[in-house]
Amino acid sequence: MKILISSHFFSPSIGGGETNAEILARGFVQKGHQVTVVTETPGTQQDAEGCPFPFTIVRNPSLLKLYHLVSWCDIYMHNGISLRHGWPLLLRRRKWIVRHLTWLDHQPNLLNAFKKFLIRF
């Protein structure tokens, strides 16, 4: 399968979400899937040891590039729901997986209410 992982934070940023996104991406590759990670975190195509990642990383994609990536994939996984990265799903129907990183009730506002509505689908 072609799996697109959206993770707002990713290596070289350090944290639990970043680590889990990398573990999942590496695991999917080991199972024989094609994986691309899309992120807002600037960086390179190398891990902390200087070795190239076994998957593609697209950093700060344009709207058109993100649309093409979503069109390419079979499964779109959000490592924490992102409306910024989710809009192509309105135009391209794909299987969508959301991995929750935090409670959406921590800051009651319209944006979080909309995210809670979307994740029901």
Side-chain angles (χ1 to χ4, degrees):
M1 286 189 292
K2 295 179 278 189
I3 302 172
L4 179 62
I5 299 175
S6 167
S7 185
H8 184 76
F9 298 107
F10 196 73
S11 179
S13 180
I14 298 171
E18 298 91 317
T19 302
N20 281 300
E22 184 176 339
I23 289 169
L24 287 168
R26 287 182 184 276
F28 292 144
V29 168
Q30 287 176 349
K31 294 291 183 183
H33 303 292
Q34 286 181 270
V35 176
T36 297
V37 174
V38 63
T39 183
E40 301 294 318
T41 304
T44 66
Q45 296 292 323
Q46 298 177 338
D47 63 17
E49 287 80 39
C51 299
F53 285 104
F55 46 85
T56 303
I57 303 172
V58 178
R59 299 178 185 275
N60 296 309
S62 67
L63 296 177
L64 186 60
K65 179 66 174 178
L66 183 61
Y67 175 79
H68 286 299
L69 288 168
V70 172
S71 297
W72 163 84
C73 74
D74 298 314
I75 295 177
Y76 191 16
M77 180 185 167
H78 278 207
N79 190 39
I81 188 169
S82 169
L83 299 179
R84 182 178 301 154
H85 287 177
W87 69 267
L89 292 170
L90 296 171
L91 305 172
R92 299 296 297 191
R93 206 172 159 97
R94 294 292 181 260
K95 292 181 181 174
W96 184 38
I97 299 168
V98 178
R99 178 183 170 272
H100 289 285
L101 301 174
T102 186
W103 295 103
L104 292 176
D105 291 332
H106 70 288
Q107 291 179 327
N109 59 37
L110 188 58
L111 184 62
N112 283 341
F114 187 56
K115 287 179 180 181
K116 282 179 72 172
F117 170 77
L118 287 177
I119 58 175
R120 296 178 6 194
F121 302 99

